[in-house]
Amino acid sequence: MIKDIANRSVLATLVTTNGLDEAMLQEWVTKSEQVLVQIKHAEHHLRSVRSKFHGALPHGFIQPDIPTEMEVSIQNVTQTLESTSAEAEKAVARIKGLETFFA
């Protein structure tokens, strides 16, 4: 790990005069965009699940704390998915920007 004078971590990278392989970069961009599509699909599916869950309430035949626990679980998944989506969008932007960094 590389540290600066104030003992903070410093990002470092290996440099080459060859630049980036265009085919490899395009593959990374394609895969990263596929990840974003899958995340958007998961978000849509989660909204559908939440809608169906709320549409099926009230459940008179189950314990009252079970729907509450299910809603908490859905909210946790929603928060995780939102943070994952934000991180993925940043990563895709970085991958797309690699071309300019190595130009």
Side-chain angles (χ1 to χ4, degrees):
M1 180 170 290
I2 299 173
K3 301 275 187 169
D4 68 1
I5 196 164
N7 203 27
R8 297 176 294 213
S9 297
V10 177
L11 296 176
T13 186
L14 297 176
V15 179
T16 179
T17 57
N18 297 337
L20 268 175
D21 180 28
E22 186 64 34
M24 183 174 55
L25 179 61
Q26 188 58 39
E27 180 183 347
W28 290 351
V29 169
T30 303
K31 286 184 179 184
S32 64
E33 288 174 345
Q34 288 173 348
V35 168
L36 281 181
V37 168
Q38 290 175 347
I39 290 173
K40 296 299 179 192
H41 177 70
E43 288 173 344
H44 180 269
H45 182 69
L46 186 61
R47 283 192 298 273
S48 173
V49 167
R50 174 177 272 161
S51 176
K52 289 177 183 177
F53 173 69
H54 286 286
L57 289 176
H59 298 291
F61 57 90
I62 62 174
Q63 296 174 0
D65 58 332
I66 292 177
T68 304
E69 291 177 21
M70 290 175 72
E71 180 62 31
V72 168
S73 295
I74 290 172
Q75 288 177 357
N76 288 339
V77 170
T78 301
Q79 290 173 350
T80 302
L81 198 53
E82 287 174 354
S83 64
T84 302
S85 178
E87 289 177 27
E89 288 174 1
K90 288 179 186 176
V92 169
R94 288 183 189 127
I95 290 171
K96 288 180 178 179
L98 283 176
E99 190 173 13
T100 60
F101 297 144
F102 290 97

